[in-house]
Amino acid sequence: MKKLILTLFINLFINSVSIAQCCSAGNPSTNNGAFGLSKNILNVSSSILHSYSDSYYKDSKPTDWDYLKNMRFNFAMLSLEYGITNKVKISSEIGYFIDKSLRYGFIDQKRKAFGLGDLVLGLQYHMYNNRTKMTTISPGMKVSLPIGAFDQMDGNVILPVDIQPSSGSFKLNPTVLITKEFIGTKLSVSSFLSGEFSQRINTERTHYKYGNLYRANLKLIYQSSEKLNLGIALHYQHRNKAESRNEIMQYTGGSFLDLQPSFSYTLKYNYTLNTFIGIPIYKNVNGIQLTNKYTLGLGVSKSFHLKTLKPQIPPNIL
Amino acid sequence: MKVVTLVLAIFGLAFLSSCDKENTKDCSGENPTIISLTSDKEEIKFGANEPAIIKCETPPDENLTYVWDVDFGDLFVINSDGSEVQFTASPCCMGEKIISCEVSNGHCKTTESIIITIIE
């Protein structure tokens, strides 16, 4: 049972998010890494993400460039994870932009979009488990399907690609999750590495390819009590420049480092509350770009054993 | 392992398949006419200081509606019937931008495009 608690804890607690920078549409990239979800266990989680961007950077320094005043989104997400076997887990993730909007600095106007984002399907394999060293390695693969809104309008104008709810592109995300626990301590460490490779969008409207995205997340987790877990993560991401009509878009992409404190608390009836905040501590963009100021995430999750349709952890032990 | 292979195969097919979202045009009447689509500038600097003003000229008709589109950049309607827009772009959007104006009379649609280049 204790193992299961830790499994769920790692699973839910590693949730963090990469916020789309300039010219990135679609779901915010989550790295919902998990390992060891046991056979027949279904984990359901629902979360809300809020992101706000209002500062322009030129290379690694703030600049007083004033084109967009701010850009923000509120994104509701539903995630399902299911253990096919003790070693193979499948997952799906779908989200809805309640409000994705930007406000201009030079004119009193704003643009607003809302609607379904992309559908993400994933597979993860629990490849390596060394009980002596308390180390696990779990590679995985995710694919994003652009099922959501990609042609939203504001009055007489079709919204540009970067504010549409869906990315409009298939994406492939190879991932690796490495976890390490320490004997006799309440500490554990996890590392999550991933890439994102997008298919070129070839439509009547646009010929566009998002820059490849590479992410690395290093997280330290402290189990404060049976119910409360605290975490702090460093999240690095690098996005290559995008391409439009076979030309490199010079002012896209860059490198970003965020600090992400988080906590997870187990409530009654096996519900778990998860929350985190993302604070940028380093930004180095190509050219001039609007950058993220902060990100907030709040979610609730619960696990079920599908064969019994009962919570896996009886409430009386909580 | 069969399940793994099957799921990977589905992922691969999904990723390799293309997804062109071209408009289908069902028309049961006369196409509206666009006399001209013009811009006061062929080239603008990124930022808000030098917007391009683009006009979609059509024969007088109160029933016409105008829909403007560009993949990256910002279009703002500046007159009451929607036939004129102002175009600006942030730094991300440098290069040639194809701006299209679609005119509809409720039955049929006509589209014209113009290229404006965003420079530094």
Side-chain angles (χ1 to χ4, degrees), chain A residues 22-23 65 67 104 106 111 143 150 153 156-158 160-161 170 172 197 199 202 205-206 208 245 249 251, chain B residues 11 14-15 17 20-21 46-48 66-76 88-92 98 120:
Chain A
C22 173
C23 308
W65 181 260
Y67 186 80
Y104 297 94
F106 61 93
R111 295 272 190 245
V143 62
F150 195 58
M153 294 181 66
N156 295 56
V157 177
I158 298 175
V161 169
F170 289 93
L172 201 59
F197 306 97
Q199 187 192 38
N202 278 315
R205 183 183 189 209
T206 190
Y208 183 74
R245 301 181 196 284
M249 297 175 79
Y251 282 21
Chain B
F11 283 179
F15 190 68
S17 65
D20 287 349
K21 294 183 177 177
F46 65 66
Y66 302 82
V67 173
W68 295 87
D69 185 21
V70 65
D71 57 355
F72 289 100
D74 299 293
L75 293 162
F76 303 98
T88 58
S90 68
C92 84
I98 300 172
E120 191 167 359

Side-chain angles (χ1 to χ4, degrees), chain A residues 11 26 30 86 112 154 191 241 247 264:
Chain A
N11 177 13
T30 56
N86 285 330
K112 182 178 176 180
D154 183 3
S191 176
K241 292 174 182 172
E247 285 189 15
S264 171

Side-chain angles (χ1 to χ4, degrees), chain B residues 34-46:
Chain B
I34 295 177
I35 297 169
S36 66
L37 181 66
T38 55
S39 170
D40 66 339
K41 299 182 185 74
E42 291 181 351
E43 201 173 82
I44 59 172
K45 289 184 177 178
F46 65 66

Side-chain angles (χ1 to χ4, degrees), chain B residues 8-105:
Chain B
L8 282 174
I10 292 169
F11 283 179
L13 283 173
F15 190 68
L16 290 172
S17 65
S18 62
C19 182
D20 287 349
K21 294 183 177 177
E22 293 184 4
N23 294 327
T24 55
K25 294 174 183 173
D26 296 324
C27 182
S28 58
E30 195 173 323
N31 281 312
T33 304
I34 295 177
I35 297 169
S36 66
L37 181 66
T38 55
S39 170
D40 66 339
K41 299 182 185 74
E42 291 181 351
E43 201 173 82
I44 59 172
K45 289 184 177 178
F46 65 66
N49 294 333
E50 295 179 21
I53 306 297
I54 306 164
K55 295 180 182 178
C56 187
E57 191 182 350
T58 57
D61 185 344
E62 288 182 355
N63 297 319
L64 294 181
T65 56
Y66 302 82
V67 173
W68 295 87
D69 185 21
V70 65
D71 57 355
F72 289 100
D74 299 293
L75 293 162
F76 303 98
V77 174
I78 55 174
N79 67 344
S80 57
D81 67 357
S83 63
E84 293 182 23
V85 292
Q86 166 186 318
F87 178 58
T88 58
S90 68
C92 84
C93 311
M94 284 193 295
E96 287 187 350
K97 298 294 145 205
I98 300 172
I99 295 158
S100 66
C101 175
E102 181 188 87
V103 179
S104 169
N105 57 14

